[in-house]
Amino acid sequence: MPGEPLLVAESLARGFGEGEGRLELFSALSLTLGAGEAVAIVGPSGCGKSSLLHLLAGLDRPDAGRVLVDGKDWASLAPEPKARWRGEAVGFVFQMHHLLPELTAEENVALPLLLAGVADSAARAQARELLARVGLVRQATSLPRILSGGERQRVAIARAVVRRPRLLLCDEPTGSLDAAHAADVLDLLLGTARERAGALLLVTHDPGVAARCGTVLTLSSGGLVPA
Amino acid sequence: MVAAAAFVGLVLGVGALVLSLALLSGFQAHVRTRLAEEAPHVLVAPAGRPDFTAAEGAAAKLALLDGVVSVTPVVRGRGWITARGQAVPAVLVGREQRDGIRLDPAQARQLSILAGEDVTIVSSRTRLSPLGPVPLTASIRVTEVAALATGRKQPEAVLPAGMARRLFGLPEGGATGFELRLSDPEAAPAMALAVREALGAETTATTTWQEANRPLLLALRLERVAIFATVFLVVIVAGLNLAATSAVLAATRRGDAAVLTVLGASPRLLGRIFLFAGLLLGFAGTLAGLGLGFVLAVVLDATHAIPLPAELFALAHVPFRPAARDLLAVGAFSLVWSFVSSFVPARMAARVDVTEALRAG
């Protein structure tokens, strides 16, 4: 049962380039995501799925339209409060994990807390707790380069949810994994999203992954349509 | 690798600056020491009257001042030194316990006189004779030909005080001034005030050794500023290298900056992180450079590593004297320049285009 809307995107338009070479990704895209919902967005490569996620996370500006997360419009926020709100409200999982190579698994997970001003010892304790939750407590002191692809992605998921964001945005989180690891990671994502985040929006090109979410939308012809 | 090059550049720049200033300090300290050793620290002269009389007891009053090591009465006047039909004008200085006259090499050269020969002193004062006023004269043997204290504008001839009093018409015990030597030469300006207070500010004039050698001391200070500015160019270049390194760091870590933005880091925080990285490099390079310059200066000085012909320089080796204020000044300037050099690249890093950076990997 969907609750209050956590994410509202109204009439979004975004394109790249100028003049005849301009590529319009979408022109009037709208989307509403309520608490407790898990939505998958599918579509062919280059259709603008990642760009849409960046707009929803307030990392990019739409050419038109607006995005509200938990009632706050990204466009109305100055850089400092916008960064604070993003850290607090949004968890983001990348396809390529994007862990910082010089930091251990524990430090990577603790990083969002440290950026929010949490004390080092408390941040590390929470990070260890989450690493235990994703089955990586023994790898807490390992650097990303000695972890497997699946392990890195689990660390990235732990990092995304460590601040208990209400909105979890995932950009092809299983794209770089084999089937077995992809299934594990997806279980973890759906579980942690249900447990720690209010809503999950997942972008994927894999219909099998999309089918695990409650709602599947296709990004096509500049808008979202039910798959 | 790029960071290591920037670090080494800064270390060498700062080290070179510290070493140059230590070298300059060594030579300048030597010059100041010689000035302070050879010249009187405070010259006391009468103001509005020709001389001090013995009855005033000025010498005793001066000797009582705290910090005064010695008080030497002098009788100073102008006259001519003649020999073999030649005459040269001279500043004549009479001192107690002096036997014979000491000429400056320039005077001796003009008169073609060597030590051991006799000269005639002709005073600017006259006495009445049946033929009218005639100058006071005296004959004396040249006992020494030597240069006097550094920094004197005119060559001086030194003769016995008694003869000088006769030549310039002073009574027994009279003096045209006093030369003071102090336990702390640097305290001369304060002592000059105390002297005027003790002998009467309106009737006493003083000249400290710093005032007497002001052009020379000013030149030394200017030399110091010029050397600092010139060698600091090396640090400027090293700082530009640091700026390039910071820019490379900002470009290569663009992806990490984007990830930090996604995790909630504000542009200001990102800027601080990159600024801190640049400053850390600047701080480490500055500290290592200060250490390198200091150690080199101490070792070169202690081991007398660079010898000098003593007869030319009055020094047997090149002196290095690293001063705390130089280290502080070099450190402060280098850190400020490191900050300036890191600031612009840090601002660039703070304005990362997240979408673009993540797409680039």
Side-chain angles (χ1 to χ4, degrees), chain B residues 16 33 54 82 137 148 153 156 158 168 192 206-208 219 224 265 269 276 281 283 295 299 310:
Chain B
T33 305
T82 67
T137 60
L148 288 177
K153 293 185 194 77
E156 292 178 351
V158 184
F168 299 118
T206 53
T207 308
T208 63
R224 186 173 203 78
L269 180 62
F276 179 74
L281 200 58
F283 184 76
V295 169
V299 169

Side-chain angles (χ1 to χ4, degrees), chain B residues 11 21 24 35 47 67 81 98 101 138 143 158 165 183 189 227 231 278 283 305 355:
Chain B
V11 171
L21 291 175
L24 199 62
L35 279 178
I81 306 169
R98 174 95 209 149
I101 189 168
T143 50
V158 184
R165 285 192 189 98
S183 52
I227 289 285
V231 185
F283 184 76
T355 305

Side-chain angles (χ1 to χ4, degrees), chain A residues 106 120-130:
Chain A
E106 180 185 298
D120 185 68
S121 57
R124 282 177 182 271
Q126 285 191 55
R128 277 193 173 260
E129 189 186 312
L130 260 180

Side-chain angles (χ1 to χ4, degrees), chain B residues 221-265:
Chain B
R221 202 173 301 160
L222 278 177
E223 184 185 32
R224 186 173 203 78
V225 172
I227 289 285
F228 190 99
T230 309
V231 185
F232 193 71
L233 288 177
V234 181
V235 181
I236 297 275
V237 172
L240 292 175
N241 201 4
L242 185 66
T245 303
S246 298
V248 169
L249 184 71
T252 53
R253 306 309 294 262
R254 208 160 56 111
D256 292 340
V259 171
L260 287 172
T261 304
V262 172
L263 297 180

Side-chain angles (χ1 to χ4, degrees), chain B residues 17-27 293 297 319-323 326:
Chain B
L17 185 52
V18 169
L19 201 59
S20 305
L21 291 175
L23 171 66
L24 199 62
S25 289
F27 274 117
F320 291 89
R321 186 175 288 190
D326 288 343

Side-chain angles (χ1 to χ4, degrees), chain A residues 54 80 86 92 100 102 115, chain B residues 253 256 261 266 268-269:
Chain A
H54 289 164
E80 296 295 317
R86 186 185 299 119
F92 206 104
L100 296 188
E102 293 87 356
L115 289 172
Chain B
R253 306 309 294 262
D256 292 340
T261 304
S266 65
R268 188 183 299 171
L269 180 62

